[in-house]
Amino acid sequence: MKIPKRTEAEQLERIRTSIYPKAADACTDLAREISDLIRARVQEGKPAVLGLATGSTPVPLYRELIRLHREEGLSFANVHTFNLDEYFGLPREHAQSYHRFMQQQFFAHIDIPADHIHIPDGMVERSAAYGHCQEYEEQIRESGGIDLQILGIGRTGHIGFNEPGSSKDSRTRLVTLDSLTRHDAARDFLGEVNVPRYAVTMGVGTILEARRVRLLAWGDAKASIVARAVEGVPVESVPASFLQDHADAQFVIDGAAAAELTRIKRPWKVGEVKWSESVTHKAVLWLAETVKKPILKLTDEEYSEHGMAGLLTSQGPAYDLNIRIFNQLQHTITGWPGGKPDADDSFRPERARPFPKQVLVLSPEPQDDVLYMGGTLSRLVKQGHRVTVAYVASGNLAVPDSEVLRSVELMLEMAGELAADGGGADAQFAGSVREQLAAKKTFDNDTPDVRRLKRLVRRSESRSACRICGLPGDNIRFLDLPFYENGHYRQFSPRANDRERIAALLKEVRPDQIFITGNLAEPSSVQGICFDLFRQAFESLAGEAWTRECRVWLYRGSGSEWDVNEIEMAVPLSPDELANKIQGIYQHQSQRSQHPIRTSGHRESWQQAEAINRTTAESYNRLGLAEYEAIEAFRRWSLK
Ligand code: F6R
């Protein structure tokens, strides 16, 4: 891989960092580096030794390597691999074991000999764990050491399962997982309580001995930890920061994961910048936050003292600049997310006409809509627009068994009440699902019947949430896209028919306005996949006149909100509207914590949504704008 010299803008970065527009582009380059390494080793008559990771992050890399194997004849016969880690106590056959993951995602598709593959054994006896770890280290040494180590990064800053507190010279060992890591894995295991508490992992010291290290990160959820690892001092509380001391470590990340690096977030702090509209906006809001003053009170001195004298020269004095940015921010606020009919719309985020608008809200999974734009949805309906909400993926994978059991038991009770003989086909179905659940072992995947019922659980919850937002039942669509129905987390393979279903919906609704999320999400997440399918579908229809008039608004999703400087439409919610939205979120009962007594400090989704909307309102207020109870925020998107 060609690594450009560090530029002035990268001066604060203590690890070389390559930012790519998309994960796929990064993986093309990295797969090329790996194939060059393998071929060079073949020439030398030596094996190539790769250190491998699991999780969502390396999936696109493995897919690209498989493609190189199939289409360009890259052989792995000469490759030896060592995986970073494995959950402790999880049998290899478990759907979430890393043994199984590696087989499914990579090894089954290439020509690597089985005896070249090494993965820590999670089923080793507790008393034999230390010996097993030492043996693993020994095997790495005997192989000649790792040539190139692939890493992901956890939101705790972990590499492998080296959680905060791991020392720089730690070796392969049995570790306890951090509560945030277990929380992040809860979705895979259908609940945090099912997530193993321990794992066997290579140590930080073991990882640092690899000759090259490439850490990958995609999506906005990784942005802040990436910045801490790259720009902070090396500390045990962020184990990935120890890579700063490695001679050939590199972060390979996408734009969303790079968002918190200084060169992206505060470019004026690391060199000359072109004071474009967006950089100016960002800088003024940052200054106001930093000196803790409303925009209109910022002074020339404060601009100069914070390295923005250049901005004053081109756009000052402060008085003019402040008013301009203040007005821009003021104009993002609207109580009319679909546009205000018959009003002058020159300074409004949305056009007055057409009225009413055809509005399409795309919710990747049930609940995304109401969580991030429940208040706006209610307003759009109330203000007379023709709103359609489409749930793209059914969301069945996120429903715990207990919810299905409750539903089938309700059906059976009903059947018992209605017919003394125990009811008809419905009761039989319910009875059979109950048996299937009873027969399900801890590590089994759901049967098709159970998945079907889980899908229906989510449908009824979504209907109920939409009802609270005032949306008529006829305006709700469940697309149940096949990529999700036929897949599992991290193993979705979207195809043309997924895209075609979205395109068909777009063609039918011909929306004037679309709301969607997922443009910054990790690419193999449901939200990331749905956004990409939407983008492709929208692009395929670019020839149709309505697409040129249609405005696409992004809600942020993923448990966060746009930074104020990114917001292009801010919809204030009154206390009643916020309460109504929370009630809407509350309808998604299957998504509430299944264990009311918690210790991890985890908040329920409605609490998170409420906090996010209140925080946005507070930020506007601190900048000198009106004081609202809560705000939902959006950004525009268009086909480049
Ligand atoms: C996986 C591993 C972990 C993951 C990290 C990120 O073998 O060791 O450190 O790389 O938890 O996980 P994802 O990629 O799922 O976000």
Side-chain angles (χ1 to χ4, degrees):
M1 191 182 302
K2 273 200 221 82
I3 300 150
K5 282 224 176 70
R6 212 163 296 194
T7 62
E8 186 183 11
E10 295 159 31
Q11 60 188 275
L12 299 181
E13 295 169 21
R14 299 157 178 245
I15 304 179
R16 275 177 309 145
T17 302
S18 299
I19 307 172
Y20 287 82
K22 290 176 132 234
D25 306 319
C27 290
T28 311
D29 273 12
L30 186 52
R32 191 59 63 197
E33 180 180 12
I34 293 173
S35 76
D36 288 349
L37 168 74
I38 295 173
R39 291 192 165 112
R41 284 280 184 269
V42 172
Q43 293 289 312
E44 294 163 19
K46 289 188 191 155
V49 184
L50 300 179
L52 299 179
T54 57
S56 303
T57 309
V59 171
L61 174 68
Y62 295 149
R63 290 194 180 157
E64 177 60 11
L65 287 169
I66 294 167
R67 193 193 67 75
L68 291 180
H69 170 65
R70 288 189 181 147
E71 295 174 17
E72 298 186 17
L74 175 66
S75 171
F76 291 82
N78 185 47
V79 173
H80 291 239
T81 63
F82 287 88
N83 262 79
L84 283 166
D85 41 19
E86 177 60 286
Y87 288 113
F88 185 69
L90 223 54
R92 289 173 184 214
E93 330 51 84
H94 188 297
Q96 300 305 329
S97 88
Y98 287 169
H99 278 81
R100 182 141 166 203
F101 176 96
M102 288 309 297
Q103 276 304 324
Q104 287 177 335
Q105 297 292 326
F106 194 34
F107 297 143
H109 312 282
I110 55 172
D111 61 343
I112 186 166
D115 62 344
H116 287 192
I117 297 170
H118 303 84
I119 304 178
D121 184 359
M123 289 307 282
V124 66
E125 285 293 319
R126 174 69 189 83
S127 57
Y130 181 65
H132 173 65
C133 295
Q134 282 190 315
E135 206 177 296
Y136 201 67
E137 295 261 340
E138 188 52 37
Q139 286 173 331
I140 296 176
R141 266 191 299 275
E142 276 170 11
S143 74
I146 292 171
D147 288 309
L148 189 149
Q149 174 70 53
I150 300 297
L151 296 176
I153 182 169
R155 287 198 299 151
T156 57
H158 72 211
I159 46 176
F161 274 136
N162 294 285
E163 298 288 14
S166 301
S167 71
K168 194 179 159 196
D169 47 16
S170 54
R171 311 302 307 186
T172 304
R173 69 204 186 287
L174 186 66
V175 291
T176 306
L177 298 179
D178 186 279
S179 63
L180 179 60
T181 298
R182 293 186 65 237
H183 175 67
D184 282 351
R187 195 194 52 177
D188 297 327
F189 287 86
L190 275 177
E192 207 170 307
V193 282
N194 305 322
V195 181
R197 293 184 174 274
Y198 307 99
V200 178
T201 182
M202 277 188 202
V204 178
T206 326
I207 293 169
L208 289 175
E209 279 168 13
R211 286 183 272 280
R212 286 183 237 178
V213 178
R214 302 290 177 258
L215 184 146
L216 320 181
W218 330 123
D220 57 348
K222 299 287 172 71
S224 67
I225 196 67
V226 162
R228 286 176 65 197
V230 172
E231 295 186 357
V233 288
V235 275
E236 283 188 359
S237 55
V238 183
S241 63
F242 288 131
L243 296 171
Q244 293 176 13
D245 295 334
H246 192 282
D248 191 359
Q250 189 185 359
F251 274 38
V252 178
I253 63 181
D254 69 0
E260 295 287 323
L261 292 175
T262 306
R263 67 167 133 153
I264 308 291
K265 197 170 166 110
R266 318 257 173 260
W268 57 89
K269 294 191 127 199
V270 284
E272 292 243 338
V273 286
K274 248 183 75 201
W275 289 104
S276 65
E277 242 349 79
S278 70
V279 177
T280 306
H281 200 80
K282 207 185 250 190
V284 174
L285 299 193
W286 171 82
L287 182 62
E289 286 281 342
T290 306
V291 301
K292 299 192 172 41
K293 276 175 144 189
I295 299 170
L296 294 175
K297 288 190 177 174
L298 296 174
T299 63
D300 290 78
E301 289 71 36
E302 281 157 347
Y303 278 98
S304 302
E305 280 162 15
H306 288 84
M308 292 183 210
L311 177 60
L312 283 186
T313 317
S314 61
Q315 302 186 39
Y319 179 83
D320 292 346
L321 186 54
N322 294 348
I323 289 193
R324 189 161 65 77
I325 300 300
F326 178 86
N327 283 339
Q328 277 177 13
L329 202 58
Q330 178 74 53
H331 294 150
T332 61
I333 303 174
T334 182
W336 297 83
K340 187 171 186 183
D342 303 326
D344 173 6
D345 59 8
S346 348
F347 294 112
R348 290 177 176 274
E350 214 4 303
R351 303 142 301 168
R353 301 261 143 211
F355 180 83
K357 285 189 174 60
Q358 286 286 358
V359 181
L360 178 62
V361 175
L362 287 164
S363 183
E365 285 182 285
Q367 206 189 14
D368 286 332
D369 55 341
V370 66
L371 271 179
Y372 300 108
M373 58 169 293
T376 304
L377 178 59
S378 301
R379 278 197 175 224
L380 288 162
V381 175
K382 211 178 285 163
Q383 291 170 355
H385 298 288
R386 301 198 187 101
V387 183
T388 303
V389 173
Y391 296 98
V392 183
S394 75
N396 71 65
L397 293 171
V399 178
D401 292 350
S402 53
E403 290 292 324
V404 177
L405 201 56
R406 203 160 53 163
S407 307
V408 290
E409 281 178 344
L410 176 68
M411 285 164 77
L412 289 168
E413 294 277 357
M414 241 171 66
E417 291 267 317
L418 296 178
D421 66 356
D426 299 0
Q428 269 173 28
F429 176 70
S432 135
V433 169
R434 188 164 61 177
E435 277 164 26
Q436 291 169 37
L437 282 179
K440 182 179 167 185
K441 294 197 214 67
T442 326
F443 307 138
D444 286 353
N445 283 327
D446 284 337
T447 62
D449 280 348
V450 171
R451 281 189 79 163
R452 185 165 164 210
L453 221 85
K454 288 186 169 179
R455 191 171 80 214
L456 299 181
V457 165
R458 300 219 66 183
R459 279 194 184 193
S460 67
E461 291 171 348
S462 304
R463 284 193 192 284
S464 174
C466 283
R467 195 174 314 120
I468 283 173
C469 296
L471 190 74
D474 293 351
N475 298 23
I476 305 171
R477 301 295 186 84
F478 296 99
L479 301 187
D480 295 341
L481 284 199
F483 86 83
Y484 186 92
E485 294 309 298
N486 303 324
H488 291 279
Y489 288 122
R490 302 200 168 96
Q491 300 176 35
F492 298 121
S493 300
R495 301 197 199 289
N497 58 349
D498 292 299
R499 188 190 63 226
E500 281 152 17
R501 282 207 202 171
I502 297 187
L505 177 73
L506 292 174
K507 273 174 107 149
E508 182 198 325
V509 178
R510 294 172 151 263
D512 302 302
Q513 210 187 19
I514 295 174
F515 289 85
I516 186 168
T517 186
N519 65 314
L520 298 181
E522 207 270 327
S524 60
S525 65
V526 176
Q527 286 67 18
I529 292 173
C530 288
F531 184 82
D532 202 45
L533 289 168
F534 159 74
R535 192 187 48 74
Q536 292 174 31
F538 196 73
E539 203 164 17
S540 72
L541 299 173
E544 301 198 4
W546 66 268
T547 59
R548 286 190 284 280
E549 300 302 320
C550 174
R551 278 204 189 165
V552 181
W553 292 98
L554 298 165
Y555 53 103
R556 176 76 186 257
S558 72
S560 47
E561 186 54 283
W562 300 113
D563 281 347
V564 175
N565 72 74
E566 296 170 312
I567 296 173
E568 291 175 87
M569 176 156 72
V571 181
L573 308 185
S574 70
D576 282 351
E577 285 171 316
L578 181 62
N580 192 64
K581 162 179 175 159
I582 291 171
Q583 207 192 331
I585 298 171
Y586 222 67
Q587 303 310 304
H588 291 273
Q589 296 189 6
S590 68
Q591 301 306 295
R592 287 195 220 149
S593 159
Q594 301 297 305
H595 301 275
I597 301 161
R598 312 184 62 96
T599 50
S600 65
H602 163 74
R603 287 189 297 181
E604 294 287 342
S605 52
W606 67 267
Q607 292 171 310
Q608 261 186 49
E610 178 184 15
I612 288 171
N613 295 160
R614 285 188 189 280
T615 305
T616 311
E618 282 156 17
S619 303
Y620 266 70
N621 186 230
R622 272 201 307 277
L623 292 165
L625 291 111
E627 187 175 351
Y628 293 103
E629 179 81 356
I631 287 181
E632 287 176 345
F634 305 90
R635 234 184 116 63
R636 266 186 77 178
W637 175 86
S638 47
L639 267 176
K640 292 273 158 19

